[in-house]
Amino acid sequence: MTLTSRQVRLSRRMSLVLRHRPETAGLTLDANGWVPVADLLAALGIGRAELDVVVAENDKSRFAITAGPDGVERIRASQGHSRRVAVDLDLPPATPPEELYHGTPRQNLESILRDGLRPRSRHHVHLSADVPTAIRVGRRRSADVVVLAVAAGALAAEGHVFHRSENGVWLTSVVPSARLSVKRTNP
Ligand code: HQG
């Protein structure tokens, strides 16, 4: 199902509130990034049915809902939080596949091959499980995308810790340039 433009706007607003600026909706995230669903509905002035459509149908399953032991339903963003928001997703370490991918605008390439992949404003470097997904991530910012292959298996063997978000994005703290290679240019 394709989201309406209103639903896309709502999804973007939810990303902003649940990842970057909860205070713009008068909300505070708990230590693991959760906020009561009822509080989010009230803060955004939307109904539960509308929220459920956006959670179920947004293209990357960005949001997760869970009921706590207290019976309260809570929602969070599954990945992508800003470093300025003190959130620990509390994901278990996971063994990555031998190779992961990262799509980025070509203009970043020189700097990345020099300094490695850095989390920049987020908590983690975000890596994709396949090349088409990496291309889509890079295309958010530029039509001229380079896909880097990340030697994730070798990094894990060297002690780098990886996590897999609930929606399948691989997360790690940094990727040294020695473990990067250009997989594909001009996709
Ligand atoms: C780049 C989306 C120069 C990096 C996606 C990227 C993802 C460097 C940008 C999630 C660098 C940061 C995250 C260095 C990294 N020199 N540039 N040393 N190190 N960069 O948005 O990975 O759609 O913070 O290549 O699907 O693009 O929002 O990271 O271009 O999962 O749900 O610095 O966001 O999810 O950009 O995307 P970002 P990202 P959503």
Side-chain angles (χ1 to χ4, degrees), residues 85-131:
V85 180
V87 161
D88 177 0
L89 292 174
D90 206 21
L91 298 169
T95 304
E98 211 41 52
E99 196 164 86
L100 288 168
Y101 306 97
H102 181 87
T104 191
R106 179 181 307 279
Q107 65 198 34
N108 293 337
L109 187 60
E110 194 183 323
S111 161
I112 291 173
L113 292 179
R114 187 183 59 232
D115 301 336
L117 283 172
R118 309 264 152 205
R120 305 301 239 5
S121 64
R122 306 199 196 237
H123 285 256
H124 297 98
V125 170
H126 288 227
L127 303 172
S128 307
D130 56 74
V131 172

Tab-separated table of all heavy atoms in Angstrom, residues 85-131:
chain	number	residue	atom	x	y	z
A	85	VAL	N	20.253	12.827	21.190
A	85	VAL	CA	19.209	12.177	21.990
A	85	VAL	C	19.842	10.970	22.672
A	85	VAL	O	20.335	10.061	22.006
A	85	VAL	CB	18.039	11.727	21.084
A	85	VAL	CG1	16.951	11.052	21.888
A	85	VAL	CG2	17.467	12.913	20.327
A	86	ALA	N	19.839	10.960	23.999
A	86	ALA	CA	20.531	9.900	24.747
A	86	ALA	C	19.679	8.643	24.765
A	86	ALA	O	18.878	8.442	25.675
A	86	ALA	CB	20.823	10.371	26.167
A	87	VAL	N	19.827	7.822	23.734
A	87	VAL	CA	19.029	6.598	23.635
A	87	VAL	C	19.957	5.403	23.452
A	87	VAL	O	20.869	5.437	22.641
A	87	VAL	CB	18.059	6.695	22.429
A	87	VAL	CG1	17.564	5.334	22.005
A	87	VAL	CG2	16.886	7.590	22.775
A	88	ASP	N	19.712	4.355	24.244
A	88	ASP	CA	20.418	3.094	24.053
A	88	ASP	C	19.377	2.069	23.604
A	88	ASP	O	18.493	1.703	24.381
A	88	ASP	CB	21.073	2.660	25.368
A	88	ASP	CG	21.757	1.309	25.246
A	88	ASP	OD1	21.728	0.716	24.144
A	88	ASP	OD2	22.303	0.845	26.254
A	89	LEU	N	19.472	1.615	22.352
A	89	LEU	CA	18.457	0.695	21.834
A	89	LEU	C	18.522	-0.656	22.527
A	89	LEU	O	17.588	-1.451	22.447
A	89	LEU	CB	18.623	0.522	20.323
A	89	LEU	CG	18.313	1.761	19.486
A	89	LEU	CD1	18.647	1.499	18.018
A	89	LEU	CD2	16.863	2.175	19.639
A	90	ASP	N	19.644	-0.923	23.215
A	90	ASP	CA	19.780	-2.158	23.981
A	90	ASP	C	19.617	-3.390	23.093
A	90	ASP	O	18.978	-4.378	23.479
A	90	ASP	CB	18.753	-2.173	25.132
A	90	ASP	CG	19.220	-3.032	26.294
A	90	ASP	OD1	20.436	-3.269	26.389
A	90	ASP	OD2	18.370	-3.477	27.084
A	91	LEU	N	20.183	-3.318	21.896
A	91	LEU	CA	20.128	-4.469	20.981
A	91	LEU	C	21.260	-5.421	21.330
A	91	LEU	O	22.367	-4.981	21.654
A	91	LEU	CB	20.295	-3.999	19.531
A	91	LEU	CG	19.222	-3.056	18.988
A	91	LEU	CD1	19.674	-2.466	17.650
A	91	LEU	CD2	17.892	-3.773	18.841
A	92	PRO	N	21.031	-6.713	21.234
A	92	PRO	CA	22.121	-7.664	21.506
A	92	PRO	C	23.154	-7.607	20.385
A	92	PRO	O	22.802	-7.299	19.243
A	92	PRO	CB	21.416	-9.015	21.524
A	92	PRO	CG	20.191	-8.816	20.703
A	92	PRO	CD	19.784	-7.386	20.842
A	93	PRO	N	24.419	-7.913	20.680
A	93	PRO	CA	25.400	-8.024	19.604
A	93	PRO	C	24.952	-9.117	18.637
A	93	PRO	O	24.338	-10.101	19.060
A	93	PRO	CB	26.689	-8.431	20.318
A	93	PRO	CG	26.475	-8.092	21.747
A	93	PRO	CD	24.993	-8.188	22.004
A	94	ALA	N	25.235	-8.924	17.360
A	94	ALA	CA	24.822	-9.905	16.355
A	94	ALA	C	25.997	-10.172	15.424
A	94	ALA	O	26.820	-9.289	15.188
A	94	ALA	CB	23.635	-9.383	15.562
A	95	THR	N	26.066	-11.402	14.917
A	95	THR	CA	27.141	-11.757	13.989
A	95	THR	C	26.738	-11.327	12.584
A	95	THR	O	25.720	-11.798	12.063
A	95	THR	CB	27.381	-13.279	14.010
A	95	THR	OG1	27.651	-13.656	15.361
A	95	THR	CG2	28.562	-13.656	13.124
A	96	PRO	N	27.507	-10.413	11.980
A	96	PRO	CA	27.108	-9.915	10.655
A	96	PRO	C	27.476	-10.909	9.567
A	96	PRO	O	28.318	-11.783	9.771
A	96	PRO	CB	27.952	-8.642	10.509
A	96	PRO	CG	29.199	-8.946	11.278
A	96	PRO	CD	28.769	-9.814	12.447
A	97	PRO	N	26.878	-10.746	8.378
A	97	PRO	CA	27.347	-11.527	7.229
A	97	PRO	C	28.764	-11.074	6.861
A	97	PRO	O	29.233	-10.047	7.339
A	97	PRO	CB	26.355	-11.164	6.117
A	97	PRO	CG	25.742	-9.889	6.544
A	97	PRO	CD	25.795	-9.829	8.033
A	98	GLU	N	29.427	-11.850	6.037
A	98	GLU	CA	30.813	-11.548	5.649
A	98	GLU	C	30.940	-10.135	5.088
A	98	GLU	O	31.882	-9.413	5.394
A	98	GLU	CB	31.247	-12.586	4.602
A	98	GLU	CG	32.705	-12.952	4.590
A	98	GLU	CD	33.330	-13.101	5.967
A	98	GLU	OE1	32.809	-13.837	6.838
A	98	GLU	OE2	34.354	-12.433	6.166
A	99	GLU	N	29.943	-9.720	4.294
A	99	GLU	CA	30.010	-8.410	3.647
A	99	GLU	C	28.709	-7.636	3.870
A	99	GLU	O	27.624	-8.200	3.754
A	99	GLU	CB	30.243	-8.608	2.137
A	99	GLU	CG	30.713	-7.373	1.418
A	99	GLU	CD	31.288	-7.698	0.035
A	99	GLU	OE1	30.514	-7.781	-0.939
A	99	GLU	OE2	32.522	-7.878	-0.058
A	100	LEU	N	28.855	-6.354	4.187
A	100	LEU	CA	27.706	-5.446	4.258
A	100	LEU	C	27.997	-4.284	3.315
A	100	LEU	O	29.105	-4.174	2.776
A	100	LEU	CB	27.495	-4.959	5.695
A	100	LEU	CG	26.954	-5.993	6.689
A	100	LEU	CD1	27.065	-5.499	8.126
A	100	LEU	CD2	25.493	-6.336	6.360
A	101	TYR	N	27.009	-3.387	3.134
A	101	TYR	CA	27.143	-2.335	2.117
A	101	TYR	C	26.737	-0.980	2.676
A	101	TYR	O	25.931	-0.889	3.600
A	101	TYR	CB	26.289	-2.706	0.897
A	101	TYR	CG	26.642	-4.083	0.404
A	101	TYR	CD1	25.899	-5.199	0.785
A	101	TYR	CD2	27.800	-4.277	-0.360
A	101	TYR	CE1	26.266	-6.471	0.394
A	101	TYR	CE2	28.181	-5.550	-0.748
A	101	TYR	CZ	27.412	-6.647	-0.371
A	101	TYR	OH	27.799	-7.908	-0.736
A	102	HIS	N	27.318	0.056	2.087
A	102	HIS	CA	26.979	1.425	2.505
A	102	HIS	C	26.922	2.300	1.260
A	102	HIS	O	27.905	2.396	0.523
A	102	HIS	CB	28.049	1.945	3.476
A	102	HIS	CG	27.785	3.320	3.985
A	102	HIS	ND1	27.010	3.577	5.101
A	102	HIS	CD2	28.182	4.535	3.527
A	102	HIS	CE1	26.943	4.881	5.305
A	102	HIS	NE2	27.656	5.489	4.369
A	103	GLY	N	25.780	2.913	1.025
A	103	GLY	CA	25.628	3.814	-0.121
A	103	GLY	C	25.810	5.247	0.323
A	103	GLY	O	25.236	5.670	1.323
A	104	THR	N	26.607	5.997	-0.450
A	104	THR	CA	26.893	7.372	-0.046
A	104	THR	C	27.082	8.242	-1.292
A	104	THR	O	27.483	7.724	-2.348
A	104	THR	CB	28.157	7.407	0.858
A	104	THR	OG1	28.286	8.694	1.454
A	104	THR	CG2	29.418	7.080	0.072
A	105	PRO	N	26.798	9.536	-1.216
A	105	PRO	CA	27.084	10.413	-2.354
A	105	PRO	C	28.578	10.387	-2.695
A	105	PRO	O	29.422	10.358	-1.789
A	105	PRO	CB	26.678	11.801	-1.832
A	105	PRO	CG	25.696	11.535	-0.746
A	105	PRO	CD	26.140	10.244	-0.120
A	106	ARG	N	28.877	10.411	-3.994
A	106	ARG	CA	30.275	10.337	-4.420
A	106	ARG	C	31.146	11.403	-3.748
A	106	ARG	O	32.319	11.170	-3.471
A	106	ARG	CB	30.352	10.478	-5.934
A	106	ARG	CG	31.772	10.432	-6.477
A	106	ARG	CD	31.799	10.604	-7.981
A	106	ARG	NE	30.894	9.642	-8.589
A	106	ARG	CZ	31.216	8.370	-8.810
A	106	ARG	NH1	32.402	7.916	-8.486
A	106	ARG	NH2	30.357	7.560	-9.359
A	107	GLN	N	30.554	12.538	-3.478
A	107	GLN	CA	31.359	13.629	-2.910
A	107	GLN	C	31.963	13.263	-1.540
A	107	GLN	O	32.922	13.886	-1.098
A	107	GLN	CB	30.517	14.905	-2.778
A	107	GLN	CG	29.391	14.772	-1.787
A	107	GLN	CD	28.321	15.848	-1.968
A	107	GLN	OE1	28.045	16.269	-3.079
A	107	GLN	NE2	27.738	16.284	-0.871
A	108	ASN	N	31.408	12.224	-0.878
A	108	ASN	CA	31.953	11.808	0.430
A	108	ASN	C	33.100	10.814	0.297
A	108	ASN	O	33.782	10.506	1.282
A	108	ASN	CB	30.864	11.127	1.280
A	108	ASN	CG	29.764	12.083	1.699
A	108	ASN	OD1	29.982	13.283	1.743
A	108	ASN	ND2	28.597	11.546	2.009
A	109	LEU	N	33.307	10.290	-0.918
A	109	LEU	CA	34.172	9.128	-1.075
A	109	LEU	C	35.610	9.366	-0.597
A	109	LEU	O	36.168	8.571	0.167
A	109	LEU	CB	34.162	8.667	-2.540
A	109	LEU	CG	34.883	7.353	-2.823
A	109	LEU	CD1	34.259	6.205	-2.025
A	109	LEU	CD2	34.842	7.034	-4.319
A	110	GLU	N	36.185	10.472	-1.029
A	110	GLU	CA	37.584	10.725	-0.697
A	110	GLU	C	37.773	10.763	0.822
A	110	GLU	O	38.671	10.128	1.377
A	110	GLU	CB	37.996	12.062	-1.336
A	110	GLU	CG	39.481	12.291	-1.354
A	110	GLU	CD	39.820	13.670	-1.922
A	110	GLU	OE1	39.124	14.101	-2.869
A	110	GLU	OE2	40.744	14.298	-1.388
A	111	SER	N	36.892	11.490	1.469
A	111	SER	CA	36.976	11.620	2.916
A	111	SER	C	36.763	10.273	3.622
A	111	SER	O	37.461	9.933	4.589
A	111	SER	CB	35.944	12.668	3.353
A	111	SER	OG	35.644	12.557	4.695
A	112	ILE	N	35.821	9.468	3.104
A	112	ILE	CA	35.547	8.163	3.728
A	112	ILE	C	36.736	7.215	3.534
A	112	ILE	O	37.128	6.504	4.467
A	112	ILE	CB	34.253	7.541	3.158
A	112	ILE	CG1	33.034	8.340	3.616
A	112	ILE	CG2	34.113	6.076	3.571
A	112	ILE	CD1	31.715	7.911	2.973
A	113	LEU	N	37.329	7.238	2.337
A	113	LEU	CA	38.470	6.329	2.105
A	113	LEU	C	39.679	6.760	2.937
A	113	LEU	O	40.553	5.952	3.240
A	113	LEU	CB	38.816	6.272	0.609
A	113	LEU	CG	37.747	5.586	-0.264
A	113	LEU	CD1	38.161	5.590	-1.732
A	113	LEU	CD2	37.466	4.159	0.211
A	114	ARG	N	39.706	8.023	3.330
A	114	ARG	CA	40.795	8.505	4.194
A	114	ARG	C	40.500	8.198	5.669
A	114	ARG	O	41.321	7.643	6.383
A	114	ARG	CB	40.971	10.019	3.990
A	114	ARG	CG	42.187	10.601	4.715
A	114	ARG	CD	42.261	12.105	4.522
A	114	ARG	NE	41.055	12.752	5.037
A	114	ARG	CZ	40.305	13.613	4.342
A	114	ARG	NH1	40.611	13.937	3.107
A	114	ARG	NH2	39.221	14.149	4.885
A	115	ASP	N	39.287	8.571	6.128
A	115	ASP	CA	38.986	8.532	7.569
A	115	ASP	C	38.134	7.342	7.996
A	115	ASP	O	37.887	7.162	9.178
A	115	ASP	CB	38.223	9.802	7.983
A	115	ASP	CG	39.009	11.062	7.691
A	115	ASP	OD1	40.251	10.982	7.613
A	115	ASP	OD2	38.376	12.121	7.525
A	116	GLY	N	37.620	6.572	7.046
A	116	GLY	CA	36.686	5.503	7.383
A	116	GLY	C	35.272	6.052	7.520
A	116	GLY	O	35.048	7.256	7.382
A	117	LEU	N	34.314	5.148	7.772
A	117	LEU	CA	32.922	5.572	7.987
A	117	LEU	C	32.744	5.980	9.440
A	117	LEU	O	33.072	5.218	10.350
A	117	LEU	CB	31.958	4.433	7.662
A	117	LEU	CG	31.699	4.156	6.184
A	117	LEU	CD1	30.879	2.867	6.035
A	117	LEU	CD2	30.982	5.331	5.534
A	118	ARG	N	32.196	7.177	9.626
A	118	ARG	CA	31.953	7.736	10.967
A	118	ARG	C	30.447	7.892	11.156
A	118	ARG	O	29.724	8.143	10.196
A	118	ARG	CB	32.601	9.123	11.092
A	118	ARG	CG	34.043	9.169	10.689
A	118	ARG	CD	34.927	9.041	11.911
A	118	ARG	NE	36.185	8.442	11.556
A	118	ARG	CZ	36.945	7.770	12.414
A	118	ARG	NH1	36.539	7.574	13.656
A	118	ARG	NH2	38.090	7.266	12.039
A	119	PRO	N	29.983	7.834	12.397
A	119	PRO	CA	28.532	7.957	12.613
A	119	PRO	C	27.995	9.366	12.399
A	119	PRO	O	26.781	9.538	12.323
A	119	PRO	CB	28.355	7.518	14.068
A	119	PRO	CG	29.702	7.545	14.683
A	119	PRO	CD	30.724	7.473	13.599
A	120	ARG	N	28.880	10.342	12.260
A	120	ARG	CA	28.446	11.733	12.079
A	120	ARG	C	27.465	12.113	13.178
A	120	ARG	O	27.762	11.938	14.337
A	120	ARG	CB	27.844	11.950	10.676
A	120	ARG	CG	28.752	11.546	9.501
A	120	ARG	CD	29.957	12.261	9.523
A	120	ARG	NE	30.615	13.129	8.639
A	120	ARG	CZ	30.373	13.691	7.506
A	120	ARG	NH1	29.263	13.511	6.877
A	120	ARG	NH2	31.209	14.477	6.919
A	121	SER	N	26.256	12.566	12.804
A	121	SER	CA	25.333	13.063	13.843
A	121	SER	C	24.535	11.947	14.511
A	121	SER	O	23.750	12.198	15.420
A	121	SER	CB	24.377	14.082	13.227
A	121	SER	OG	23.593	13.433	12.261
A	122	ARG	N	24.709	10.700	14.060
A	122	ARG	CA	23.909	9.608	14.636
A	122	ARG	C	24.725	8.814	15.661
A	122	ARG	O	25.908	9.043	15.847
A	122	ARG	CB	23.410	8.686	13.533
A	122	ARG	CG	22.662	9.455	12.447
A	122	ARG	CD	21.797	8.550	11.635
A	122	ARG	NE	21.388	9.203	10.402
A	122	ARG	CZ	20.126	9.387	10.034
A	122	ARG	NH1	19.133	8.974	10.788
A	122	ARG	NH2	19.838	9.978	8.881
A	123	HIS	N	24.064	7.821	16.269
A	123	HIS	CA	24.762	6.983	17.257
A	123	HIS	C	25.672	5.966	16.591
A	123	HIS	O	26.644	5.522	17.176
A	123	HIS	CB	23.751	6.227	18.131
A	123	HIS	CG	23.070	7.088	19.149
A	123	HIS	ND1	23.398	7.068	20.479
A	123	HIS	CD2	22.081	8.003	19.029
A	123	HIS	CE1	22.631	7.923	21.146
A	123	HIS	NE2	21.824	8.504	20.283
A	124	HIS	N	25.290	5.528	15.379
A	124	HIS	CA	26.009	4.437	14.723
A	124	HIS	C	26.241	4.736	13.250
A	124	HIS	O	25.528	5.543	12.656
A	124	HIS	CB	25.188	3.129	14.781
A	124	HIS	CG	24.943	2.618	16.158
A	124	HIS	ND1	23.773	2.850	16.831
A	124	HIS	CD2	25.716	1.887	16.986
A	124	HIS	CE1	23.840	2.282	18.028
A	124	HIS	NE2	25.009	1.691	18.148
A	125	VAL	N	27.195	4.027	12.671
A	125	VAL	CA	27.279	3.899	11.221
A	125	VAL	C	26.191	2.904	10.806
A	125	VAL	O	26.040	1.855	11.448
A	125	VAL	CB	28.670	3.363	10.811
A	125	VAL	CG1	28.692	2.999	9.337
A	125	VAL	CG2	29.755	4.392	11.141
A	126	HIS	N	25.430	3.257	9.762
A	126	HIS	CA	24.335	2.398	9.307
A	126	HIS	C	24.772	1.649	8.048
A	126	HIS	O	25.231	2.270	7.090
A	126	HIS	CB	23.094	3.238	8.982
A	126	HIS	CG	22.417	3.797	10.204
A	126	HIS	ND1	21.065	3.718	10.396
A	126	HIS	CD2	22.918	4.417	11.286
A	126	HIS	CE1	20.755	4.276	11.557
A	126	HIS	NE2	21.867	4.714	12.115
A	127	LEU	N	24.597	0.327	8.059
A	127	LEU	CA	25.019	-0.503	6.937
A	127	LEU	C	23.834	-1.326	6.431
A	127	LEU	O	22.943	-1.687	7.213
A	127	LEU	CB	26.157	-1.437	7.370
A	127	LEU	CG	27.393	-0.724	7.935
A	127	LEU	CD1	28.376	-1.733	8.522
A	127	LEU	CD2	28.074	0.140	6.873
A	128	SER	N	23.836	-1.602	5.136
A	128	SER	CA	22.731	-2.329	4.506
A	128	SER	C	23.156	-3.765	4.214
A	128	SER	O	24.321	-4.030	3.925
A	128	SER	CB	22.353	-1.655	3.179
A	128	SER	OG	22.104	-0.276	3.378
A	129	ALA	N	22.165	-4.656	4.214
A	129	ALA	CA	22.454	-6.071	3.971
A	129	ALA	C	22.624	-6.375	2.488
A	129	ALA	O	23.166	-7.420	2.129
A	129	ALA	CB	21.336	-6.935	4.555
A	130	ASP	N	22.142	-5.480	1.607
A	130	ASP	CA	22.285	-5.745	0.173
A	130	ASP	C	22.532	-4.448	-0.589
A	130	ASP	O	22.278	-3.354	-0.087
A	130	ASP	CB	21.051	-6.484	-0.370
A	130	ASP	CG	19.787	-5.710	-0.095
A	130	ASP	OD1	19.560	-4.698	-0.779
A	130	ASP	OD2	19.037	-6.090	0.828
A	131	VAL	N	23.029	-4.610	-1.819
A	131	VAL	CA	23.419	-3.450	-2.638
A	131	VAL	C	22.218	-2.568	-3.004
A	131	VAL	O	22.305	-1.341	-2.877
A	131	VAL	CB	24.201	-3.915	-3.888
A	131	VAL	CG1	24.444	-2.761	-4.845
A	131	VAL	CG2	25.532	-4.541	-3.462
